[in-house]
Amino acid sequence: MMQKLTSLTSDLKLSNGVTIPGLGYGTYQTPPEDAYRAVTDALAVGYRHIDTAALYGNESGVGQAVKDSGLKREEVFITSKLWNTERGYDKTMAAFEKTLAELGTDYLDLYLIHWPANEKQFGQEAAALNLDTWRAFEDLYKAGKIKAIGVSNFMPNHLEALLAQAEIKPMVNQIEVHPGWPQTEAIRYCQRNDILVEAWAPLGEAAALSNPVLAKIAAKYDHTPAQVCLRWEIQQGILPLPKSVHRERMAENTKLFDFELTEDEMDIIGALRNLGGNARCQIR
Ligand SMILES: NC(=O)c1ccc[n+]([C@@H]2O[C@H](COP(=O)([O-])OP(=O)(O)OC[C@H]3O[C@@H](n4cnc5c(N)ncnc54)[C@H](OP(=O)(O)O)[C@@H]3O)[C@@H](O)[C@H]2O)c1
């Protein structure tokens, strides 16, 4: 059954039983010097799930903000990601230790393969390389160093190859989802396979927010286009990861639980195209 978030503090359950706060806070393009302040604000606003990555160069600011927040480590769900240059078993193991050191923690809640090795770059070797990386993820998971493991930007073809060989199934796939880029097939595939979908760029990197259809629906509920985007994702059982460095926007992006889009509105938003977002997730 599709899980749906009912409040900022309610959790979703992953296939291994681990709970995950159903709204996350994104940190892509938050420079290292701003990450500490931004994550401190996000935790004060009420977020309990922070999404970072080795690529973002801000893991140490994120980790320090969590430490100084007064919250216990287990009260904050931290995700990081393995960057593309570190694929393969041994390099993954080393990159994971570096991520832990940067964050100043001894475990991760969720670790993701940031992008799949794909056939365009790696030819017939792509699937084997993804599997080799995944073996390291499985071993780190079995050693108790990560509570849940997953992937990012994997399309159904990448997942199919991984699932055929994996001992432990990925619990999460983080992909680009927003009005204008609905990723219907990838979402359906993941939900059928009990893989939770997280939405990156859930606001279409702000490009979706000036769309008149979204503006009209937002006005009807006395909410904002950003809140309508996030609500549209939550109502599909997707976990959005909005990013803002502005505290008032961080707060705005959490006020999602006092209105419900109709099925017609869900379809109208789902059929929007070309909102000027990135749609970068097109590798095959
Ligand atoms: N796995 C991957 O490959 C991948 C790729 C990209 C992103 N991600 C993750 O997903 C997170 C979200 O994606 P994203 O940061 O690319 O895009 P996003 O969350 O869709 O949009 C962020 C942009 O929207 C603005 N914004 C936020 N809330 C707003 C509001 N209420 N009203 C108006 N503007 C608002 C932000 O500006 P201000 O900050 O100036 O407020 C920023 O420019 C990232 O931070 C990262 O953690 C993952």
Side-chain angles (χ1 to χ4, degrees), residues 47 179 202-203 206 208-235 242 244 247-261 265 269 272:
Y47 291 89
L203 311 172
L209 304 182
S210 51
N211 178 267
V213 175
L214 291 177
K216 192 169 164 208
I217 294 172
K220 172 183 159 191
Y221 293 107
D222 200 15
H223 276 67
T224 65
Q227 291 165 331
V228 169
C229 289
L230 298 168
R231 187 71 216 174
W232 174 78
E233 287 140 16
I234 285 170
Q235 284 185 218
S244 174
R247 191 168 170 148
E248 62 289 356
R249 288 179 174 172
M250 293 178 196
E252 176 188 329
N253 295 344
T254 66
K255 294 183 180 129
L256 311 172
F257 304 103
D258 58 350
F259 73 113
E260 175 137 9
L261 301 169
E265 287 161 348
I269 297 168
L272 294 173

Side-chain angles (χ1 to χ4, degrees), residues 25-30 50-53 55-56 81 83 112-115 151-153 174-178 199-207 209 224-227 230 241-250 252-253 278 280:
Y25 173 73
T27 64
Y28 179 47
Q29 291 174 330
T30 301
I50 312 294
D51 184 82
T52 183
L55 174 75
Y56 306 167
K81 313 184 193 85
W83 186 236
L112 305 175
I113 300 181
H114 207 141
W115 288 88
V151 295
S152 177
N153 299 304
Q174 184 181 121
I175 56 177
E176 180 177 5
V177 181
H178 50 80
W200 66 256
L203 311 172
E205 292 191 331
L209 304 182
T224 65
Q227 291 165 331
L230 298 168
L241 301 164
K243 171 261 173 188
S244 174
V245 294
H246 297 99
R247 191 168 170 148
E248 62 289 356
R249 288 179 174 172
M250 293 178 196
E252 176 188 329
N253 295 344
N278 268 301
R280 281 178 298 214

Side-chain angles (χ1 to χ4, degrees), residues 9-20:
T9 49
S10 66
D11 292 319
L12 301 177
K13 203 171 248 182
L14 300 176
S15 60
N16 64 343
V18 163
T19 53
I20 179 168

